[in-house]
Amino acid sequence: MTVATSLIPGLDDIVKRGDPRRRGEIASAISALFFQDASKLSSELVDLFDDLLIDLVPHAELAARVDLAERFSRLDNAPPHLVGQLARENEILVAGPVLSRSPVLDDAALVEIARLKGQGHLLAMTERPILSTAITDVLVERGDRDVVRRAAGNAGAMFSPGGYTELIKRASQDGVLTLRIGQREDLSSDHLKELLNGTLDVIRRRLSTVVNPARQVEIKRAMAAIEEAARPAGPRRDFADAQRTVLGLHRGGHLGESALLGFAKAHKYEESVATLSAMAGVRLPILDRLISGDRHDPILILGRVLNLGWPTVRALILMWYGPHRTPADADLEQARVNFTRLMPSTAERVVNFWRNRPAI
């Protein structure tokens, strides 16, 4: 028997032996007294109500507990022990409201619950208007996909450096999470670069369409830095002569697919890339990095945008392999099939993305 229950004759007997419906009715009646003038109650009276309700509410029916949890979750001076008790209930319909919004729960209680309870409790916490790094560290560590996505999408959530690193690690397998992290205002330049470095190109392009203009600029810079770091060590290609050749062809009205085919057949890499750059409107350093990569897909994409014939695209692919490597017939046939199936609209979107990348 608590001090509070001893003040009301018969209440302790109801707490111990009363049926759940009767307990719920009394809990609701006492709570109604609290709600009538909650904002004016002294701390001593709040403690008294706390002592009364903490013995009654756990034995009340589910519907009564859910109703009380909803109502107490919105009060700044709700009985603290009762709120903590409700937040620790296994029934998420009861725990959810106080976990998602009650200002009475402090970080220590939330961290404890986050470490002990299931995913439903963690998911409810992600709705809080403010989440400290102590809480998000646990959410990122223990949360499933939905919990982590919701936490990352919460503008009031704060993440520690370690929490961000773990978020970004999980984002490498989750495009939705990548988009939510990429839109966060508190994302540092280093973390943005880390995020983009482990992200598929299609997700990078999608991210560029949903962020604000300032973040778009950051993404372009980060991608340029990533690509520059990925370039192999050693001497860089000199395109000066090739650019002069292409400029001369342009002035003479001879810059086109025929010239490009001739360069590709002669394995003149610099002239071929400089010609593609002029024809497609993609900066030469960007195009060099794309075509000198470990796949020849950029050649197919450029070929489709420029409406090149397969013989020219094939010659560019053979140039990509180099004079000392011979691709298998099956590989060339697969490249031809891929080129044929490539939608012009899709290729145009990719090339537009390349056009907007900053040069190093």
Side-chain angles (χ1 to χ4, degrees):
M1 179 187 298
T2 65
V3 173
T5 55
S6 68
L7 296 175
I8 304 176
L11 181 57
D12 185 57
D13 187 61
I14 292 173
V15 169
K16 291 181 178 178
R17 287 177 286 278
D19 66 83
R21 182 176 179 181
R22 179 66 174 148
R23 291 167 181 159
E25 289 173 351
I26 293 178
S28 296
I30 294 174
S31 298
L33 292 175
F34 185 95
F35 295 135
Q36 278 180 8
D37 215 6
S39 62
K40 298 180 180 179
L41 293 176
S42 66
S43 57
E44 290 79 9
L45 281 175
V46 171
D47 289 342
L48 178 61
F49 276 102
D50 208 359
D51 282 346
L52 285 168
L53 293 170
I54 202 168
D55 287 330
L56 284 168
V57 172
H59 303 287
E61 292 180 323
L62 176 60
R65 303 202 311 278
V66 171
D67 178 65
L68 292 175
E70 285 283 352
R71 299 182 71 181
F72 279 119
S73 71
R74 303 179 187 278
L75 297 179
D76 292 336
N77 66 335
H81 293 98
L82 175 63
V83 169
Q85 186 182 73
L86 293 170
R88 290 172 174 82
E89 278 215 27
N90 289 330
E91 177 54 65
I92 193 60
L93 290 175
V94 177
V98 290
L99 288 173
S100 64
R101 72 176 74 93
S102 174
V104 175
L105 288 173
D106 59 18
D107 278 8
L110 290 166
V111 168
E112 176 200 342
I113 295 168
R115 290 198 178 281
L116 296 176
K117 294 296 184 176
Q119 297 302 314
H121 290 67
L122 272 61
L123 190 63
M125 287 185 197
T126 65
E127 297 180 15
R128 296 183 71 83
I130 297 176
L131 290 170
S132 70
T133 57
I135 299 170
T136 58
D137 277 350
V138 184
L139 295 180
V140 173
E141 175 190 344
R142 294 196 63 235
D144 62 14
R145 183 188 65 181
D146 292 336
V147 169
V148 174
R149 285 178 175 179
R150 289 274 286 276
N154 185 337
M158 295 171 282
F159 294 91
S160 67
Y164 249 127
T165 297
E166 184 61 28
L167 262 186
I168 291 168
K169 186 186 302 182
R170 295 184 65 162
S172 65
Q173 304 295 324
D174 187 341
V176 173
L177 181 57
T178 298
L179 295 178
R180 294 192 178 176
I181 296 172
Q183 295 177 79
R184 291 191 59 82
E185 294 294 331
D186 61 350
L187 185 67
S188 69
S189 297
D190 287 342
H191 280 134
L192 175 61
K193 190 183 300 184
E194 188 179 351
L195 177 69
L196 294 171
N197 203 24
T199 301
L200 294 174
D201 197 49
V202 64
I203 302 298
R204 295 171 181 166
R205 294 197 298 273
R206 173 61 179 152
L207 180 59
S208 292
T209 67
V210 298
V211 297
N212 60 45
R215 181 55 54 82
Q216 289 175 4
V217 172
E218 290 182 51
I219 289 174
K220 291 176 183 178
R221 288 174 179 167
M223 286 306 306
I226 290 169
E227 291 167 359
E228 176 67 10
R231 295 185 71 178
R236 303 295 171 86
R237 294 181 183 272
D238 183 358
F239 286 91
D241 290 341
Q243 286 179 296
R244 282 191 288 269
T245 298
V246 170
L247 181 59
L249 289 171
H250 174 68
R251 287 172 174 169
H254 302 298
L255 183 64
E257 182 172 358
S258 177
L260 177 61
L261 177 59
F263 290 141
K265 283 184 173 181
H267 285 267
K268 292 184 176 181
Y269 178 89
E270 288 81 0
E271 287 79 0
S272 297
V273 174
T275 301
L276 284 170
S277 172
M279 292 174 67
V282 179
R283 293 181 180 90
L284 186 53
I286 298 295
L287 208 55
D288 178 31
R289 287 196 298 275
L290 290 167
I291 294 180
S292 63
D294 58 0
R295 296 179 61 87
H296 53 61
D297 294 1
I299 293 173
L300 304 183
I301 293 169
L302 288 164
R304 178 56 68 208
V305 166
L306 297 174
N307 199 28
L308 301 178
W310 170 245
T312 303
V313 174
R314 181 179 183 277
L316 287 167
I317 292 174
L318 292 174
M319 180 198 70
W320 176 84
Y321 273 98
H324 305 297
R325 288 194 302 162
T326 303
D329 291 341
D331 292 337
L332 282 175
E333 175 59 19
Q334 186 60 57
R336 187 192 66 79
V337 171
N338 293 340
F339 175 68
T340 303
R341 293 176 177 174
L342 183 60
M343 295 292 294
S345 58
T346 301
E348 186 67 36
R349 283 198 298 271
V350 176
V351 172
N352 279 335
F353 179 74
W354 294 342
R355 287 168 179 153
N356 292 323
R357 288 189 180 184
I360 298 299

